Amino acid sequence: MPDGEASGAHGGFRRALPTLRAAVDRIIPGDAWPAGWDGGVGAYLTDPGPAHRDLAWARPLLSSLAERLDDAASADGSAGFASLTATRQDELLAGESGSAGFEALRRVCWEGYYAAADGRTPAGLDMVGYRPVPPGVETVDPSMPVTVAPREVAARYDAVIVGSGPGGGVAAQVLTEAGRRVLLVERAPMLPNSALRGDHLHGKRNAVYWPSAGPGAGHPRLIQAGDHDEVVDGTGDAGLYGLNADALGGGTRLWQGMSWRFLPEDFSMATGYGNPDGASLADWPVGYDEMEPHYTRAEWELGVAGEEGALTRRTPRSAGYPMPAMGTEPARELLSRAAERLGWGWGPIPLAINSVPREGRAACVRCPQCVGHACPVDAKNGAHNTFIARAVASGGCDVLMDAEVVEVRDGAAGASVAIMADASSQPVSLTIGADVVIVAAGAVETPRLLLASGIGNDQVGRHLHDHRFTTVVGTVDEPVKPFVGPGHSVATLDHVHASSIPWGGGVLVDLMGLLPLTSAMAPADEGVPAWGAGHKQWMREGRAHVFGVFGMGQEIPMPSSRVTLASQVRDRWGRPAAALRKNVHAASRLVEDGMAVQAERWLDAAGVRGIRRLAGPATASAAGEHSCGTMRMGDSPETSATDAGGRVHGARRVYVCDSSLHPTNGSVNPTLTIVANAFRVSQRLVEEWPR
């Protein structure tokens, strides 16, 4: 703890440490493995570095708990809680069960004993057999594309692209291939892969404190839920804020890489299903046949490992996959046999991960923390090491990091952007001219920027939707999901646009292996003791026998679910923050329920015992990682925000090229469709370049 903190609240916390040590060692008692304090919780609670900042919320609660425990011990005639017998300590802790202080104690115990973070590798990881990389694997930190400083940015480009995710990355590649000069602007700072992996408290998908993949302080959002509004900043729970990564490459920097094509029916949802009251299903202005060559290009230029068969029979293809599918694992073997008993088609999930060495980069080593973490050997394919790398290598693309476009200006003779950049902690203001501006900042930030710039019609920001999710678990006799990546392995599409689930249904996949911290905090099993020797034993022996099926299905869009501007909440540059309202249509609930029924059937056919559906939110937040629809493309300004080429209705030189264009989101991960559509939109822009 830093000097000068031995007084006041900090001094009280320091005085409470002996009592807290005794309490921690009852939450996680010693056995063949260290007790909680020596196993990592002590180092976590007394860390003067990031953990000291992270645990500011917990220290007052823990100090008060320690005081109550010592008072109770004094009433017993004891010198303090630490001097009591273990039995009596357990009795006093049980009496605190449910209190804020006790829940804080449990949480910091799980975080300190079962989470790798800030260079700490606590005993709980070894105890459960978790290894961040397989033995003998040498990690690499590949070089990132060369960037420019604010002073090196030219006064004018052919195109300014806002956002470096899959849409912006593809646009940069296509435009530079056509000889256009491009400025790619990304608000995140440049971070190496090593800064974006191996941290189970700050990694974007599981972050509870200051996500390493941003956005950091000064980027608030207003979450509107009923009559309750909550302001969240990019420094806390990533699930509530939104899981899209702020990094070069956007979400593809940290994704697992599931790379599906949408089915033909996904492009005509309104025609196929009509619209229930209050919904806003719409057909795409393009169909599968027009998208197919762009899907093939996306698979080959991104790099997808897959297998033709049951998962591809409803999506005609002009070429096979560039790499074979990832190898099998026990979960795939178990569920594939069960699928065959049910008469269902199944197959290995297509992944944008090198299953074999490709383009000078290694094959996947199957580390256990693929989802939400950068790859330890650079085998994961994303915008950063494919599209953007090619654009920069062409000499036609400048990449400006740690800079944010704060205004887009449209004009008959040209467009421009206003940029605020950080340069040695000194803000720099730039105005850059361009023939066109392509906004590819995602389904929240793209409409926010355009609304703040006064560009677009009343459809801008509407129809915010994601996917619906369902998790069903049970118990298997033999573990089938060890700490081996990359994650999900086997799937069936038999309940997508089928009679078994309404409104387009959803894909079912095996539940990926969970991080130890996730299992400790929320055991997906019945009857697990909340703390003590029983909880520790379950983590060591029972956790591995939990197995499940995960469903991802259609979410029915609604015009009332939208991104607007928050009038009273401002970001670090003084701009209005995004306000998000997410309503859930009853039809979407039917999709969830239908996936749960079919998931239970699959697990039952696999011989899984104690099958149960997990409760909890079906989407992480109003801004899920699959969010889309807020700049939906279409033929009419009355029902869409852009035309079929991504040009904003009413604008001359402003285009959109990201997930916000999607009128509907299919029932599978949307990234391959983002990439394919970005190829289509960007190529059309090249051919119809405004003059």
Side-chain angles (χ1 to χ4, degrees):
M1 193 171 294
D3 293 340
E5 292 191 353
S7 61
H10 296 297
F13 180 70
R14 176 172 289 180
R15 290 190 296 272
L17 290 178
T19 299
L20 291 175
R21 175 171 188 160
V24 164
D25 286 348
R26 299 313 305 153
I27 300 296
I28 307 176
D31 46 28
W33 294 88
W37 190 269
D38 288 338
V41 183
Y44 181 45
L45 283 174
T46 59
D47 186 341
H52 181 74
R53 174 200 64 194
D54 294 344
L55 293 178
W57 69 273
R59 283 190 291 273
L61 295 171
L62 295 175
S63 296
S64 295
L65 173 66
E67 184 176 354
R68 292 196 302 275
L69 293 174
D70 282 335
D71 286 346
S74 296
D76 284 355
S78 174
F81 179 81
S83 64
L84 297 174
T85 65
T87 300
R88 182 56 178 154
Q89 288 176 342
D90 287 351
E91 291 173 351
L92 293 181
L93 286 170
E96 288 285 341
S97 181
S99 71
F102 183 76
E103 292 308 309
L105 175 67
R106 286 203 317 138
R107 175 173 158 179
V108 299
C109 283
W110 307 149
E111 291 174 356
Y113 200 79
Y114 293 111
D118 304 320
R120 298 186 304 274
T121 54
L125 300 183
D126 282 339
M127 186 186 78
V128 302
Y130 177 88
R131 301 289 184 276
V133 293
V137 170
E138 183 176 350
T139 61
V140 300
D141 215 5
S143 59
M144 292 290 111
V146 175
T147 62
V148 297
R151 66 179 181 277
E152 299 172 314
V153 174
R156 185 174 181 84
Y157 292 82
D158 295 319
V160 174
I161 302 173
V162 185
S164 69
V170 167
Q173 176 183 318
V174 172
L175 267 59
T176 54
E177 286 174 341
R180 302 293 180 178
R181 180 112 178 113
V182 171
L183 174 66
L184 181 64
V185 185
E186 170 56 55
R187 76 176 182 180
M190 180 65 83
L191 293 173
N193 275 9
S194 57
L196 295 172
R197 66 170 180 263
D199 191 323
H200 301 169
L201 295 179
H202 306 97
K204 187 66 172 181
R205 278 295 292 264
N206 46 273
V208 291
Y209 308 110
W210 290 83
S212 54
H219 298 90
R221 285 177 176 172
L222 178 67
I223 310 298
Q224 300 173 317
D227 295 329
H228 174 69
D229 291 351
E230 181 178 359
V231 177
V232 296
D233 208 343
T235 58
D237 186 336
L240 182 60
Y241 185 90
L243 294 178
N244 291 114
D246 279 61
L248 186 72
T252 61
R253 189 75 174 277
L254 306 179
W255 66 330
Q256 182 201 355
M258 285 202 281
S259 296
W260 308 88
R261 296 184 178 197
F262 282 7
L263 271 63
E265 298 94 325
D266 291 324
F267 297 94
S268 56
M269 287 290 291
T271 296
Y273 292 93
N275 252 313
D277 289 345
S280 54
L281 284 171
D283 292 349
W284 287 51
V286 296
Y288 180 82
D289 290 344
E290 184 176 345
M291 288 288 291
E292 197 286 328
H294 303 293
Y295 271 127
T296 294
R297 183 178 183 184
E299 289 166 347
W300 280 81
E301 297 199 22
L302 177 60
V304 177
E307 177 180 291
E308 294 187 73
L311 298 186
T312 63
R313 64 189 177 199
R314 294 160 66 188
T315 50
R317 306 172 59 85
S318 56
Y321 286 106
M323 291 180 285
M326 294 291 297
T328 191
E329 60 175 70
R332 188 187 300 177
E333 298 300 313
L334 178 68
L335 286 180
S336 64
R337 292 192 297 267
E340 289 168 0
R341 293 187 193 105
L342 293 167
W344 296 356
W346 65 274
I349 295 171
L351 299 168
I353 298 175
N354 290 349
S355 60
V356 295
R358 189 171 190 263
E359 294 191 354
R361 292 184 288 110
C364 173
V365 296
R366 310 198 73 157
C367 79
Q369 56 184 20
C370 183
V371 180
H373 297 260
C375 182
V377 297
D378 202 26
K380 185 155 48 179
N381 302 320
H384 61 293
N385 57 9
T386 58
F387 314 127
I388 296 172
R390 294 172 194 138
V392 173
S394 75
C397 178
D398 288 343
V399 177
L400 178 64
M401 301 290 296
D402 204 7
E404 191 165 0
V405 174
V406 297
E407 185 180 2
V408 175
R409 300 161 187 156
D410 182 41
S416 66
V417 297
I419 298 174
M420 294 298 296
D422 280 340
S424 302
S425 300
Q426 295 296 320
V428 174
S429 177
L430 303 171
T431 299
I432 308 299
D435 286 351
V436 297
V437 175
I438 301 171
V439 187
V444 174
E445 296 300 322
T446 288
R448 176 200 175 209
L449 174 59
L450 293 174
L451 287 168
S453 302
I455 293 175
N457 60 18
D458 183 64
Q459 294 296 307
V460 172
R462 291 191 182 274
H463 318 292
L464 172 67
H465 65 292
D466 191 283
H467 280 124
R468 305 312 295 175
F469 302 114
T470 299
T471 302
V472 178
V473 300
T475 303
V476 292
D477 293 330
E478 295 296 327
V480 294
K481 206 69 180 178
F483 288 119
V484 175
H488 305 295
S489 175
V490 61
T492 179
L493 292 174
D494 280 27
H495 305 287
V496 177
H497 298 296
S499 60
S500 53
I501 303 176
W503 301 107
V507 63
L508 301 179
V509 303
D510 57 323
L511 184 64
M512 65 184 179
L514 303 177
L515 291 176
L517 175 63
T518 304
S519 296
M521 296 184 76
D525 207 348
E526 295 178 320
V528 178
W531 54 283
H535 183 280
K536 188 177 184 183
Q537 182 178 6
W538 180 83
M539 284 293 296
R540 187 166 57 241
E541 301 172 5
R543 177 207 54 78
H545 294 271
V546 175
F547 178 61
V549 165
F550 178 74
M552 175 168 50
Q554 300 270 356
E555 180 162 68
I556 308 304
M558 303 175 68
S560 57
S561 294
R562 62 188 304 190
V563 177
T564 56
L565 298 179
S567 60
Q568 302 299 318
V569 183
R570 302 278 168 166
D571 70 4
R572 60 177 176 164
W573 308 121
R575 295 188 311 153
L580 288 79
R581 180 174 296 279
K582 180 71 172 298
N583 299 318
V584 180
H585 198 281
S588 296
R589 304 289 190 198
L590 295 177
V591 174
E592 294 173 34
D593 294 342
M595 291 190 297
V597 169
Q598 301 306 324
E600 290 169 6
R601 290 184 62 201
W602 202 3
L603 290 176
D604 182 65
V608 178
R609 297 177 282 105
I611 300 170
R612 58 204 174 275
R613 180 180 177 181
L614 295 185
T619 54
S621 71
E625 66 267 43
H626 297 171
S627 290
C628 70
T630 51
M631 294 295 299
R632 70 161 46 168
M633 55 184 178
D635 297 323
S636 170
E638 294 181 0
T639 57
S640 60
T642 78
D643 65 17
R647 186 165 67 103
V648 178
H649 288 310
R652 300 174 179 87
R653 299 173 177 272
V654 180
Y655 294 76
V656 173
C657 192
D658 60 22
S659 66
S660 64
L661 291 176
H662 296 187
T664 53
N665 211 22
S667 60
V668 293
N669 303 66
T671 303
L672 189 73
T673 301
I674 297 172
V675 171
N677 194 49
F679 274 122
R680 183 189 67 84
V681 167
S682 301
Q683 190 60 47
R684 178 168 167 171
L685 172 59
V686 168
E687 295 167 358
E688 302 175 358
W689 197 263
R691 302 189 183 280

